[in-house]
């Protein structure tokens, strides 16, 4: 039996191990079941023939489950699988058709919190290694697993873990924790993630709220904040902070070709969100370019004064805006904060306070890296046609892998785009779990032999 046939005949075992994982709640936001789930993952790695241990940073930080298996045929190359064993909270419980940690199977679907994100993804990788070990008594290249427990709360310690275990984790390529499959069942081979800077701008004018008849004398902090926020970008979305784009490099010709080839239907997108046009009235190509490599300055929320029912004549004493910036490669979050502060100051807004909540850089793997074609070939063989995506529009902790471990990172996996991840009735599709497990084996093979 070869590894691909092994995957076909052992799907029941994969499903039952996935159900076992789902039935162990591991909600990082609520510190529920984290230690127990780490131990369970260690056990599952061992069951599949992978050496495993639990790594710790310090008290109060969720452990990382580490797995390793050395290759006899090609000990010179190492592939790493990065995953997480924690899940999002399952609330609201009453919107689930079955209990969220039941792992119940209905036809082609397995339901439960974490069914796809990320326990389903993790199980495909473990089983791909098992398929190789049990049919060839070897793996095509060295394999390392780094499985963290804080991804769903923002991976606060992954960077410190990568620094501490830099040598242990050294590798030649990383397969990212998830990968999307689109509505037409085409897998997306993703080469990057955007960064994120989240700040709060606030301004206080008076020590208490006051009667609005006094607006002739008392300045309103809401106006002040609106005036400041308006200077940050133009209506088309271009950020007006000095030097914001200074280090950014333009797309390469190859990236532009890939972006051009990516399927994107603007009318379907607009219908989905009930919008008439895009920010800045972008055409199709510009919309695709923006999703892949556009920086944003977004007002996530703004609050001040009375926003309840009916009328209330009042001058608020303070105003707050939460702003998120998506960052693109070469933008350093710390530098951008300095630029934002400088911008406010030089525009006369030195009374606006800036509080930084989160800053993380973007990461991208060069589309001409040979790892890209190895993964794409594996995806094409196991799913049919795959799509190369230069960067995801969202954010993930990819940059420490690229910048500390110096590894190319690629996302590919079994996450059907309508799998309801983070929502009630999350499910994994059995057909995609099977294809992805085969794909993971073929990635190892391509990586080890080419
Ligand atoms: Zn998630």
């Amino acid at each position: 039996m070869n590894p691909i046939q092994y995957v076909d005949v052992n799907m029941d075992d994969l499903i039952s191990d996935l159900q076992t994982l789902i039935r162990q709640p591991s909600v990082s936001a609520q510190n529920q079941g984290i230690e127990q789930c780490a131990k369970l993952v260690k056990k599952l790695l061992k069951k599949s023939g992978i050496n495993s241990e639990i790594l710790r940073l310090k008290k109060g930080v969720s452990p990382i489950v580490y797995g390793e298996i050395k290759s006899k045929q090609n000990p010179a190359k190492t592939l790493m699988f990065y995953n997480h064993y924690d899940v999002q909270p399952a609330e609201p419980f009453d919107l689930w058709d079955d209990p969220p940690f039941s792992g119940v199977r209905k036809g082609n679907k397995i339901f439960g919190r974490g069914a796809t994100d990320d326990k389903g993804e993790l199980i495909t990788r473990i089983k791909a290694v098992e398929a190789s070990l049990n049919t060839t008594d070897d793996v095509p290249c060295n394999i390392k697993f780094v499985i963290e427990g804080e991804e769903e709360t923002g991976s606060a310690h992954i960077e410190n873990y990568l620094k501490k275990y830099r040598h242990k984790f050294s590798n030649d390529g990383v397969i990212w924790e998830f990968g999307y499959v689109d509505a037409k069942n085409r897998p997306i081979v993703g080469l990057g993630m955007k960064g994120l800077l989240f700040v709060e701008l606030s301004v206080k004018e008076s020590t208490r709220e006051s009667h609005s008849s006094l607006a002739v004398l008392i300045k309103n902090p809401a106006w002040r904040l609106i005036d400041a926020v308006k200077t940050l970008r133009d209506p088309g979305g271009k950020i007006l902070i000095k030097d914001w784009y200074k280090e950014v490099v333009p797309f390469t010709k190859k990236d532009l070709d890939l972006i051009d080839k990516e399927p994107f239907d603007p009318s379907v997108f607009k219908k989905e969100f009930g919008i008439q046009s895009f920010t800045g009235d972008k055409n199709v190509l510009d919309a695709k370019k923006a999703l892949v490599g556009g920086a944003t300055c977004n007002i996530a929320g703004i609050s001040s004064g009375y926003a309840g029912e009916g009328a209330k004549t009042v001058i608020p004493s303070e105003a707050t805006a939460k702003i998120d910036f998506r960052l693109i490669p070469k933008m350093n979050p710390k530098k951008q904060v300095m630029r934002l502060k400088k911008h406010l100051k030089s525009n006369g807004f030195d009374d606006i306070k800036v509080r930084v909540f989160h800053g993380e850089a973007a990461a991208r793997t060069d589309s001409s890296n040979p790892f890209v074609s190895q993964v794409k070939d594996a995806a094409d063989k196991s799913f049919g046609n795959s799509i190369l995506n230069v960067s995801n529009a969202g954010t993930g902790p990819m940059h420490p892998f690229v910048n500390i471990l110096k590894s190319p990172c690629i996302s590919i996996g079994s996450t059907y785009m309508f799998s309801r991840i983070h929502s009630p009735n999350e499910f994994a599709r059995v057909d995609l779990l099977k294809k992805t497990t085969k794909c993971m084996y073929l990635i190892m093979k391509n990586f080890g032999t080419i």
Side-chain angles (χ1 to χ4, degrees):
M1 199 189 308
N2 67 37
I4 299 294
Q5 292 161 332
Y6 182 95
V7 174
D8 279 325
V9 301
N10 284 283
M11 275 308 287
D12 285 348
D13 185 51
L14 181 151
I15 290 163
S16 123
D17 281 355
L18 175 57
Q19 287 170 322
T20 306
L21 262 175
I22 295 169
R23 285 169 192 151
Q24 169 58 60
S26 50
V27 184
S28 48
Q30 300 162 351
N31 198 19
Q32 182 195 6
I34 290 296
E35 284 291 330
Q36 293 89 326
C37 195
K39 284 188 189 123
L40 176 62
V41 170
K42 180 173 181 266
K43 219 169 95 187
L44 287 174
L45 285 168
K46 220 168 164 190
K47 181 183 158 215
S48 293
I50 303 158
N51 308 313
S52 59
E53 60 182 306
I54 287 185
L55 304 178
R56 292 182 192 276
L57 199 59
K58 59 180 183 197
K59 234 184 153 181
V61 174
S62 302
I64 275 184
V65 187
Y66 177 72
E68 187 175 343
I69 187 94
K70 290 220 157 63
S71 169
K72 296 173 210 162
Q73 53 188 287
N74 188 1
K77 269 188 108 177
T78 303
L79 182 70
M80 174 180 279
F81 292 118
Y82 162 66
N83 285 88
H84 60 93
Y85 61 83
D86 66 321
V87 298
Q88 283 277 321
E91 286 89 344
F93 294 119
D94 54 333
L95 293 184
W96 287 80
D97 294 338
D98 299 281
F101 300 105
S102 66
V104 63
R105 177 177 182 174
K106 293 178 179 172
N108 189 34
K109 293 175 180 167
I110 297 161
F111 288 89
R113 173 54 82 238
T116 287
D117 178 14
D118 191 40
K119 290 170 174 175
E121 298 284 23
L122 172 61
I123 208 74
T124 63
R125 295 153 188 213
I126 295 175
K127 293 298 172 183
V129 174
E130 180 189 300
S132 180
L133 287 173
N134 285 358
T135 53
T136 68
D137 196 29
D138 198 9
V139 273
C141 55
N142 300 327
I143 300 292
K144 292 179 180 177
F145 281 88
V146 166
I147 309 158
E148 71 149 313
E150 299 181 337
E151 198 275 343
E152 298 292 7
T153 52
S155 297
H157 298 95
I158 193 72
E159 192 161 344
N160 286 341
Y161 266 117
L162 296 192
K163 280 181 183 155
K164 180 171 176 185
Y165 295 102
R166 191 190 302 250
H167 298 297
K168 199 180 185 79
F169 292 174
S170 69
N171 66 75
D172 305 292
V174 174
I175 295 295
W176 199 242
E177 46 114 355
F178 73 88
Y180 281 114
V181 177
D182 76 3
K184 292 184 176 158
N185 291 322
R186 295 170 297 199
I188 316 286
V189 177
L191 308 185
M193 305 288 290
K194 286 184 187 175
L196 182 73
L197 174 62
F198 199 103
V199 300
E200 181 186 274
L201 304 185
S202 63
V203 60
K204 199 170 161 65
E205 282 290 351
S206 51
T207 50
R208 61 176 181 84
E209 285 194 347
S210 45
H211 192 284
S212 74
S213 62
L214 298 176
V216 287
L217 299 178
I218 299 176
K219 288 180 210 156
N220 186 316
W223 278 124
R224 183 80 184 142
L225 189 67
I226 288 167
D227 288 343
V229 169
K230 272 206 78 167
T231 67
L232 299 179
R233 55 152 251 178
D234 73 13
K238 185 169 182 263
I239 298 160
L240 303 174
I241 299 168
K242 191 168 175 256
D243 293 337
W244 195 258
Y245 300 92
K246 193 178 174 188
E247 291 85 7
V248 173
V249 286
F251 287 121
T252 61
K253 165 109 186 34
K254 185 155 189 215
D255 286 347
L256 284 173
D257 282 350
L258 291 175
I259 292 167
D260 196 30
K261 274 191 211 135
E262 262 192 69
F264 177 74
D265 187 334
S267 54
V268 170
F269 186 98
K270 285 174 184 167
K271 201 172 159 218
E272 173 71 26
F273 292 97
I275 57 170
Q276 303 301 318
S277 61
F278 293 133
T279 315
D281 279 323
K282 292 179 183 72
N283 62 29
V284 185
L285 182 61
D286 284 341
K288 292 201 279 185
K289 277 158 73 176
L291 280 171
V292 165
T296 64
C297 167
N298 174 58
I299 302 175
I302 189 156
S303 62
S304 184
Y306 182 73
E309 218 180 303
K312 184 186 178 192
T313 46
V314 67
I315 305 173
S317 67
E318 52 194 319
T320 306
K322 306 256 188 199
I323 311 259
D324 66 75
F325 295 91
R326 293 283 160 187
L327 306 178
I328 53 180
K330 307 281 181 199
M331 285 181 172
N332 175 329
K334 280 190 186 136
K335 231 184 205 173
Q336 302 302 79
V337 170
M338 303 278 290
R339 285 169 175 162
L340 168 65
K341 287 181 177 168
K342 213 169 147 191
H343 168 89
L344 290 169
K345 216 171 176 179
S346 60
N347 282 277
F349 293 105
D350 33 12
D351 53 330
I352 307 260
K353 281 210 180 84
V354 179
R355 194 172 153 204
V356 180
F357 283 89
H358 184 77
E360 107 174 74
R364 208 183 278 172
T365 290
D366 191 331
S367 54
S368 54
N369 190 305
F371 188 32
V372 176
S373 47
Q374 291 160 4
V375 173
K376 181 159 175 27
D377 173 74
D380 289 343
K381 282 188 180 132
S382 38
F383 286 86
N385 261 351
S386 66
I387 296 161
L388 271 179
N389 169 246
V390 175
S391 174
N392 192 294
T395 300
M398 198 179 259
H399 68 101
F401 287 85
V402 173
N403 298 324
I404 298 172
L405 298 185
K406 310 281 178 213
S407 316
C409 273
I410 298 181
S411 83
I412 171 85
S414 67
T415 304
Y416 176 54
M417 65 185 296
F418 302 122
S419 275
R420 303 195 197 125
I421 59 171
H422 295 205
S423 310
N425 299 321
E426 175 180 350
F427 65 86
R429 270 173 47 185
V430 175
D431 63 325
L432 294 180
L433 291 170
K434 192 201 270 190
K435 282 180 184 164
T436 307
T437 307
K438 292 178 183 176
C439 178
M440 291 300 156
Y441 169 72
L442 292 174
I443 290 172
M444 296 192 285
K445 196 168 165 238
N446 284 349
F447 193 68
T449 50
I450 295 173

